[in-house]
PDB file of all heavy atoms in Angstrom:
ATOM      1  N   MET A1580      10.362  -8.300  -0.916  1.00 94.00           N
ATOM      2  CA  MET A1580       9.399  -8.941  -1.812  1.00 94.00           C
ATOM      3  C   MET A1580       8.403  -7.869  -2.214  1.00 94.00           C
ATOM      4  O   MET A1580       7.733  -7.291  -1.361  1.00 94.00           O
ATOM      5  CB  MET A1580       8.671 -10.099  -1.122  1.00 94.00           C
ATOM      6  CG  MET A1580       7.557 -10.683  -1.991  1.00 94.00           C
ATOM      7  SD  MET A1580       6.704 -12.128  -1.263  1.00 94.00           S
ATOM      8  CE  MET A1580       5.952 -11.403   0.198  1.00 94.00           C
ATOM      9  N   LYS A1581       8.316  -7.590  -3.459  1.00 93.00           N
ATOM     10  CA  LYS A1581       7.458  -6.485  -3.914  1.00 93.00           C
ATOM     11  C   LYS A1581       6.078  -7.021  -4.272  1.00 93.00           C
ATOM     12  O   LYS A1581       5.938  -8.075  -4.901  1.00 93.00           O
ATOM     13  CB  LYS A1581       8.095  -5.773  -5.098  1.00 93.00           C
ATOM     14  CG  LYS A1581       9.448  -5.149  -4.744  1.00 93.00           C
ATOM     15  CD  LYS A1581      10.204  -4.698  -5.953  1.00 93.00           C
ATOM     16  CE  LYS A1581      11.569  -4.152  -5.520  1.00 93.00           C
ATOM     17  NZ  LYS A1581      12.439  -5.193  -4.940  1.00 93.00           N
ATOM     18  N   VAL A1582       5.048  -6.289  -3.855  1.00 95.00           N
ATOM     19  CA  VAL A1582       3.677  -6.669  -4.171  1.00 95.00           C
ATOM     20  C   VAL A1582       2.900  -5.444  -4.651  1.00 95.00           C
ATOM     21  O   VAL A1582       3.202  -4.315  -4.284  1.00 95.00           O
ATOM     22  CB  VAL A1582       2.939  -7.287  -2.956  1.00 95.00           C
ATOM     23  CG1 VAL A1582       3.635  -8.531  -2.459  1.00 95.00           C
ATOM     24  CG2 VAL A1582       2.771  -6.269  -1.831  1.00 95.00           C
ATOM     25  N   VAL A1583       1.903  -5.707  -5.459  1.00 94.00           N
ATOM     26  CA  VAL A1583       0.905  -4.706  -5.819  1.00 94.00           C
ATOM     27  C   VAL A1583      -0.452  -5.302  -5.452  1.00 94.00           C
ATOM     28  O   VAL A1583      -0.784  -6.413  -5.867  1.00 94.00           O
ATOM     29  CB  VAL A1583       0.942  -4.373  -7.324  1.00 94.00           C
ATOM     30  CG1 VAL A1583      -0.238  -3.495  -7.708  1.00 94.00           C
ATOM     31  CG2 VAL A1583       2.250  -3.657  -7.665  1.00 94.00           C
ATOM     32  N   LEU A1584      -1.203  -4.571  -4.656  1.00 92.00           N
ATOM     33  CA  LEU A1584      -2.473  -5.062  -4.121  1.00 92.00           C
ATOM     34  C   LEU A1584      -3.635  -4.252  -4.657  1.00 92.00           C
ATOM     35  O   LEU A1584      -3.576  -3.020  -4.737  1.00 92.00           O
ATOM     36  CB  LEU A1584      -2.464  -4.965  -2.595  1.00 92.00           C
ATOM     37  CG  LEU A1584      -3.825  -5.078  -1.902  1.00 92.00           C
ATOM     38  CD1 LEU A1584      -4.270  -6.539  -1.859  1.00 92.00           C
ATOM     39  CD2 LEU A1584      -3.767  -4.504  -0.489  1.00 92.00           C
ATOM     40  N   PHE A1585      -4.701  -4.948  -5.032  1.00 88.00           N
ATOM     41  CA  PHE A1585      -5.977  -4.271  -5.268  1.00 88.00           C
ATOM     42  C   PHE A1585      -7.040  -4.958  -4.433  1.00 88.00           C
ATOM     43  O   PHE A1585      -7.336  -6.128  -4.611  1.00 88.00           O
ATOM     44  CB  PHE A1585      -6.386  -4.314  -6.743  1.00 88.00           C
ATOM     45  CG  PHE A1585      -7.616  -3.491  -7.011  1.00 88.00           C
ATOM     46  CD1 PHE A1585      -7.520  -2.139  -7.246  1.00 88.00           C
ATOM     47  CD2 PHE A1585      -8.877  -4.065  -6.971  1.00 88.00           C
ATOM     48  CE1 PHE A1585      -8.651  -1.371  -7.452  1.00 88.00           C
ATOM     49  CE2 PHE A1585     -10.017  -3.316  -7.184  1.00 88.00           C
ATOM     50  CZ  PHE A1585      -9.902  -1.948  -7.433  1.00 88.00           C
ATOM     51  N   ALA A1586      -7.584  -4.194  -3.475  1.00 84.00           N
ATOM     52  CA  ALA A1586      -8.639  -4.677  -2.597  1.00 84.00           C
ATOM     53  C   ALA A1586      -9.875  -3.791  -2.787  1.00 84.00           C
ATOM     54  O   ALA A1586      -9.779  -2.713  -3.379  1.00 84.00           O
ATOM     55  CB  ALA A1586      -8.166  -4.615  -1.138  1.00 84.00           C
ATOM     56  N   PRO A1587     -11.047  -4.226  -2.317  1.00 78.00           N
ATOM     57  CA  PRO A1587     -12.245  -3.406  -2.474  1.00 78.00           C
ATOM     58  C   PRO A1587     -12.069  -1.973  -1.972  1.00 78.00           C
ATOM     59  O   PRO A1587     -12.618  -1.034  -2.547  1.00 78.00           O
ATOM     60  CB  PRO A1587     -13.300  -4.167  -1.657  1.00 78.00           C
ATOM     61  CG  PRO A1587     -12.886  -5.596  -1.748  1.00 78.00           C
ATOM     62  CD  PRO A1587     -11.372  -5.555  -1.727  1.00 78.00           C
ATOM     63  N   THR A1588     -11.297  -1.801  -0.901  1.00 80.00           N
ATOM     64  CA  THR A1588     -11.077  -0.450  -0.375  1.00 80.00           C
ATOM     65  C   THR A1588     -10.302   0.428  -1.342  1.00 80.00           C
ATOM     66  O   THR A1588     -10.341   1.663  -1.230  1.00 80.00           O
ATOM     67  CB  THR A1588     -10.311  -0.519   0.957  1.00 80.00           C
ATOM     68  OG1 THR A1588      -9.110  -1.282   0.782  1.00 80.00           O
ATOM     69  CG2 THR A1588     -11.161  -1.158   2.044  1.00 80.00           C
ATOM     70  N   ASP A1589      -9.600  -0.172  -2.310  1.00 82.00           N
ATOM     71  CA  ASP A1589      -8.825   0.624  -3.261  1.00 82.00           C
ATOM     72  C   ASP A1589      -9.715   1.332  -4.275  1.00 82.00           C
ATOM     73  O   ASP A1589      -9.211   2.150  -5.057  1.00 82.00           O
ATOM     74  CB  ASP A1589      -7.806  -0.253  -3.973  1.00 82.00           C
ATOM     75  CG  ASP A1589      -6.641  -0.629  -3.075  1.00 82.00           C
ATOM     76  OD1 ASP A1589      -6.043   0.297  -2.493  1.00 82.00           O
ATOM     77  OD2 ASP A1589      -6.346  -1.824  -2.929  1.00 82.00           O
ATOM     78  N   LEU A1590     -11.007   1.039  -4.295  1.00 77.00           N
ATOM     79  CA  LEU A1590     -11.916   1.860  -5.083  1.00 77.00           C
ATOM     80  C   LEU A1590     -11.818   3.313  -4.635  1.00 77.00           C
ATOM     81  O   LEU A1590     -11.995   4.235  -5.428  1.00 77.00           O
ATOM     82  CB  LEU A1590     -13.353   1.335  -4.925  1.00 77.00           C
ATOM     83  CG  LEU A1590     -14.439   2.119  -5.672  1.00 77.00           C
ATOM     84  CD1 LEU A1590     -14.173   2.090  -7.176  1.00 77.00           C
ATOM     85  CD2 LEU A1590     -15.815   1.560  -5.365  1.00 77.00           C
ATOM     86  N   HIS A1591     -11.524   3.526  -3.357  1.00 84.00           N
ATOM     87  CA  HIS A1591     -11.432   4.868  -2.815  1.00 84.00           C
ATOM     88  C   HIS A1591     -10.169   5.605  -3.294  1.00 84.00           C
ATOM     89  O   HIS A1591     -10.003   6.775  -3.002  1.00 84.00           O
ATOM     90  CB  HIS A1591     -11.474   4.832  -1.297  1.00 84.00           C
ATOM     91  CG  HIS A1591     -12.740   4.250  -0.753  1.00 84.00           C
ATOM     92  ND1 HIS A1591     -13.981   4.733  -1.089  1.00 84.00           N
ATOM     93  CD2 HIS A1591     -12.966   3.202   0.081  1.00 84.00           C
ATOM     94  CE1 HIS A1591     -14.928   4.018  -0.482  1.00 84.00           C
ATOM     95  NE2 HIS A1591     -14.333   3.073   0.226  1.00 84.00           N
ATOM     96  N   LEU A1592      -9.323   4.886  -4.024  1.00 92.00           N
ATOM     97  CA  LEU A1592      -8.207   5.559  -4.675  1.00 92.00           C
ATOM     98  C   LEU A1592      -8.729   6.670  -5.577  1.00 92.00           C
ATOM     99  O   LEU A1592      -8.092   7.729  -5.707  1.00 92.00           O
ATOM    100  CB  LEU A1592      -7.409   4.546  -5.500  1.00 92.00           C
ATOM    101  CG  LEU A1592      -6.230   5.059  -6.323  1.00 92.00           C
ATOM    102  CD1 LEU A1592      -5.170   5.669  -5.407  1.00 92.00           C
ATOM    103  CD2 LEU A1592      -5.616   3.928  -7.146  1.00 92.00           C
ATOM    104  N   VAL A1593      -9.873   6.464  -6.187  1.00 92.00           N
ATOM    105  CA  VAL A1593     -10.446   7.449  -7.112  1.00 92.00           C
ATOM    106  C   VAL A1593     -11.427   8.368  -6.401  1.00 92.00           C
ATOM    107  O   VAL A1593     -11.364   9.585  -6.557  1.00 92.00           O
ATOM    108  CB  VAL A1593     -11.140   6.739  -8.292  1.00 92.00           C
ATOM    109  CG1 VAL A1593     -11.757   7.758  -9.255  1.00 92.00           C
ATOM    110  CG2 VAL A1593     -10.147   5.856  -9.037  1.00 92.00           C
ATOM    111  N   ASP A1594     -12.360   7.801  -5.612  1.00 89.00           N
ATOM    112  CA  ASP A1594     -13.429   8.630  -5.071  1.00 89.00           C
ATOM    113  C   ASP A1594     -13.263   8.968  -3.591  1.00 89.00           C
ATOM    114  O   ASP A1594     -14.126   9.614  -2.999  1.00 89.00           O
ATOM    115  CB  ASP A1594     -14.788   7.959  -5.299  1.00 89.00           C
ATOM    116  CG  ASP A1594     -14.997   6.735  -4.414  1.00 89.00           C
ATOM    117  OD1 ASP A1594     -14.034   6.306  -3.738  1.00 89.00           O
ATOM    118  OD2 ASP A1594     -16.126   6.190  -4.387  1.00 89.00           O
ATOM    119  N   GLY A1595     -12.153   8.540  -2.988  1.00 91.00           N
ATOM    120  CA  GLY A1595     -11.928   8.783  -1.567  1.00 91.00           C
ATOM    121  C   GLY A1595     -11.160  10.074  -1.293  1.00 91.00           C
ATOM    122  O   GLY A1595     -10.941  10.881  -2.188  1.00 91.00           O
ATOM    123  N   PRO A1596     -10.733  10.263  -0.053  1.00 93.00           N
ATOM    124  CA  PRO A1596     -10.002  11.474   0.318  1.00 93.00           C
ATOM    125  C   PRO A1596      -8.587  11.465  -0.249  1.00 93.00           C
ATOM    126  O   PRO A1596      -8.069  10.409  -0.650  1.00 93.00           O
ATOM    127  CB  PRO A1596      -9.990  11.409   1.859  1.00 93.00           C
ATOM    128  CG  PRO A1596     -10.127   9.952   2.169  1.00 93.00           C
ATOM    129  CD  PRO A1596     -10.992   9.375   1.093  1.00 93.00           C
ATOM    130  N   PRO A1597      -7.928  12.612  -0.287  1.00 95.00           N
ATOM    131  CA  PRO A1597      -6.584  12.711  -0.877  1.00 95.00           C
ATOM    132  C   PRO A1597      -5.553  11.792  -0.229  1.00 95.00           C
ATOM    133  O   PRO A1597      -4.624  11.344  -0.919  1.00 95.00           O
ATOM    134  CB  PRO A1597      -6.199  14.193  -0.666  1.00 95.00           C
ATOM    135  CG  PRO A1597      -7.512  14.909  -0.608  1.00 95.00           C
ATOM    136  CD  PRO A1597      -8.452  13.945   0.084  1.00 95.00           C
ATOM    137  N   ASP A1598      -5.684  11.488   1.068  1.00 94.00           N
ATOM    138  CA  ASP A1598      -4.663  10.642   1.698  1.00 94.00           C
ATOM    139  C   ASP A1598      -4.657   9.232   1.113  1.00 94.00           C
ATOM    140  O   ASP A1598      -3.616   8.574   1.122  1.00 94.00           O
ATOM    141  CB  ASP A1598      -4.852  10.603   3.221  1.00 94.00           C
ATOM    142  CG  ASP A1598      -6.159   9.949   3.637  1.00 94.00           C
ATOM    143  OD1 ASP A1598      -7.212  10.477   3.257  1.00 94.00           O
ATOM    144  OD2 ASP A1598      -6.121   8.930   4.333  1.00 94.00           O
ATOM    145  N   GLU A1599      -5.772   8.768   0.543  1.00 92.00           N
ATOM    146  CA  GLU A1599      -5.804   7.478  -0.135  1.00 92.00           C
ATOM    147  C   GLU A1599      -4.901   7.505  -1.366  1.00 92.00           C
ATOM    148  O   GLU A1599      -4.182   6.548  -1.658  1.00 92.00           O
ATOM    149  CB  GLU A1599      -7.229   7.116  -0.550  1.00 92.00           C
ATOM    150  CG  GLU A1599      -8.183   6.860   0.589  1.00 92.00           C
ATOM    151  CD  GLU A1599      -7.960   5.498   1.240  1.00 92.00           C
ATOM    152  OE1 GLU A1599      -7.260   4.663   0.637  1.00 92.00           O
ATOM    153  OE2 GLU A1599      -8.490   5.283   2.345  1.00 92.00           O
ATOM    154  N   ARG A1600      -4.948   8.602  -2.106  1.00 95.00           N
ATOM    155  CA  ARG A1600      -4.149   8.733  -3.327  1.00 95.00           C
ATOM    156  C   ARG A1600      -2.676   8.931  -3.006  1.00 95.00           C
ATOM    157  O   ARG A1600      -1.800   8.406  -3.706  1.00 95.00           O
ATOM    158  CB  ARG A1600      -4.708   9.862  -4.195  1.00 95.00           C
ATOM    159  CG  ARG A1600      -6.094   9.513  -4.743  1.00 95.00           C
ATOM    160  CD  ARG A1600      -6.670  10.625  -5.603  1.00 95.00           C
ATOM    161  NE  ARG A1600      -7.244  11.706  -4.811  1.00 95.00           N
ATOM    162  CZ  ARG A1600      -8.447  11.682  -4.274  1.00 95.00           C
ATOM    163  NH1 ARG A1600      -9.206  10.602  -4.385  1.00 95.00           N
ATOM    164  NH2 ARG A1600      -8.914  12.709  -3.604  1.00 95.00           N
TER     165      ARG A1600
END
Side-chain angles (χ1 to χ4, degrees):
M1580 174 177 64
K1581 299 168 183 65
V1582 300
V1583 171
L1584 164 77
F1585 186 85
T1588 54
D1589 287 308
L1590 178 61
H1591 299 305
L1592 178 62
V1593 179
D1594 71 352
D1598 64 298
E1599 294 284 346
R1600 293 180 280 280

